[in-house]
Amino acid sequence: MLILNDVAVRYGRFEALRGVDWSVGTGQSTVTALLGPSGCGKSTLLRAIAGFEPLAAGTVSWDGEDLSGRPPHRRDFGVVFQDGQLFPGRTVAQNIAYGLARRGVRGAAAAERVATMLDLVQLGGFEDRPVGALSGGQAQRVALARALAPEPRLLLLDEPLAAIDSQLRESLAESIGTIVRAAGTPTVLVTHDHREAALMADTVSVMRAGRIVQTDSAERLWRRPADEETARFLGARAVVAGVVRSGVLITELGETDLRGRVGFDDLADGDCTVALRPEAVIVEPDPASPAVVEHAAALVAGRRARVRVGGDVFEGVSSVPISVGDHVRLGLAPGALAVVGR
Ligand code: ADP
């Protein structure tokens, strides 16, 4: 298993990573997502693990062995970048066999391994196609097959869906998750998209400004983000004070019973901060209410409204048509709310 201990990476005087303690490949978690906004250091961390980026401090080790003396090609890690970086002008089979030849697997044994890998990524029979003739999604699956062919002990995926059309992204995310689980290879997935992280990963680590701020299952992360910035990164639009009494959460928007709800079972009574994604705020027409709709839109997922209540602004959802200027009241839907930092 991979263990990072107090890792720092610097570019000149800029500290791109600092104090990173992290482990991958433990327990039942095959795919670990490294999730964070652009520029937070995800790719730097992936490159440091792969051996492309020298450490300014700390260690990267595998099963107790410090990897600092091992160059990238001797770490037994497979890497897939954003656009796959297949070798142009070669066939699919030649691409997949590339890492095999370096390990002395040639001839019939290599051909058999290539065919097995193509079956795994659901491109059986594609051996002789030139890679230039592949669609974006097919090319990424070939890149995945090439990375998995030499049976790496760890797979590193850097935004593998970035160059894929949005309609195809979800199905490719699912199939990559299925493929690496079938291969049983511990995998690190870099992504800035929390949907992608949830679709593919068992464990999600959130990064910000060169640090890892939280590691949890996606479900736990949605409900119990470590801090307000993480909650906002995950889609919260408003934050309100709350108090928990006997498992019931009370806020200015109303109260809701959190007992028996996944992610809240260990929530102790007391003051708390509540983060609200739009789906957590229910907007209903009420001519007697002082709250006023500032903006309304019909989205695929439902009607959205931005509502001003005194000095505060909330984003919410409505089941009936509403317009700018309507007076409304706000309520709480427990499904999309999060309790921050406790
Ligand atoms: P992410 O993958 O999360 O988008 P990166 O790891 O690419 O973030 O970058 C982290 C920070 O380090 C950014 O501020 C970026 O500008 C900076 N950075 C990345 N690579 C270099 C480099 N080779 N030289 C200088 N700064 C870099």
Side-chain angles (χ1 to χ4, degrees):
M1 98 187 189
L2 181 80
I3 295 185
L4 276 68
N5 191 7
D6 201 23
V7 164
V9 169
R10 295 196 189 101
Y11 298 115
R13 289 170 61 192
F14 175 67
E15 205 164 40
L17 297 178
R18 59 206 159 96
V20 174
D21 295 317
W22 201 44
S23 58
V24 172
T26 54
Q28 299 305 307
S29 177
T30 303
V31 184
T32 303
L34 201 50
L35 171 70
S38 175
C40 72
K42 304 180 297 292
S43 295
T44 299
L45 184 53
L46 203 79
R47 290 201 306 271
I49 293 168
F52 296 118
E53 214 64 75
L55 307 187
T59 54
V60 174
S61 62
W62 182 270
D63 284 348
E65 183 207 353
D66 183 348
L67 297 180
S68 54
R70 278 200 188 225
H73 66 277
R74 293 197 52 242
R75 293 192 177 197
D76 277 343
F77 296 165
V79 187
V80 176
F81 294 103
Q82 295 195 359
D83 56 358
Q85 297 179 339
L86 295 174
F87 304 118
R90 298 193 202 181
T91 64
V92 165
Q94 286 165 341
N95 265 274
I96 297 173
Y98 172 79
L100 295 174
R102 284 210 330 229
R103 273 156 205 259
V105 181
R106 295 171 204 281
E112 196 184 319
R113 181 87 185 131
V114 167
T116 304
M117 297 318 298
L118 281 173
D119 283 343
L120 181 70
V121 298
Q122 292 156 352
L123 291 174
F126 272 55
E127 278 88 341
D128 297 328
R129 305 243 183 143
V131 295
L134 301 174
S135 72
Q138 289 169 343
Q140 280 309 68
R141 282 185 281 154
V142 171
L144 191 60
R146 182 178 65 178
L148 286 171
E151 300 186 304
R153 51 190 180 175
L154 179 71
L155 183 66
L156 304 170
L157 307 177
D158 193 355
E159 303 256 8
L161 307 176
I164 305 296
D165 288 348
S166 57
Q167 303 106 294
L168 283 178
R169 218 174 278 162
E170 197 157 308
S171 67
L172 187 60
E174 280 180 30
S175 73
I176 290 177
T178 306
I179 291 161
V180 298
R181 280 188 190 87
T185 311
T187 299
V188 175
L189 164 78
V190 162
T191 178
H192 63 273
D193 181 337
H194 56 72
R195 268 182 66 79
E196 242 170 69
L199 281 167
M200 296 167 81
D202 314 291
T203 304
V204 181
S205 289
V206 178
M207 267 193 97
R208 190 167 63 243
R211 288 178 163 277
I212 290 179
V213 293
Q214 182 170 9
T215 296
D216 261 315
S217 68
E219 181 131 42
R220 172 96 186 165
L221 187 64
W222 307 151
R223 291 175 169 81
R224 306 292 289 279
D227 51 35
E228 189 182 323
E229 245 179 296
T230 302
R232 289 194 184 271
F233 174 67
L234 298 174
R237 295 296 174 83
V239 163
V240 293
V243 62
V244 181
R245 285 202 197 111
S246 308
V248 175
L249 173 68
I250 302 153
T251 74
E252 65 185 89
L253 300 186
E255 45 183 88
T256 185
D257 193 343
L258 295 179
R259 279 173 299 183
R261 289 196 171 268
V262 177
F264 296 116
D265 39 327
D266 61 339
L267 189 62
D269 282 2
D271 292 338
C272 64
T273 301
V274 182
L276 301 166
R277 290 198 289 282
E279 300 76 26
V281 178
I282 296 167
V283 178
E284 283 178 298
D286 180 356
S289 166
V292 179
V293 175
E294 272 192 353
H295 182 258
L299 305 183
V300 178
R303 296 185 191 86
R304 282 276 281 272
R306 190 170 69 235
V307 177
R308 178 168 292 279
V309 191
D312 296 324
V313 172
F314 294 95
E315 296 261 350
V317 294
S318 171
S319 58
V320 296
I322 37 172
S323 310
V324 173
D326 285 356
H327 286 258
V328 292
R329 81 180 113 87
L330 302 180
L332 215 51
L337 64 78
V339 173
V340 177
R342 347 183 340 205

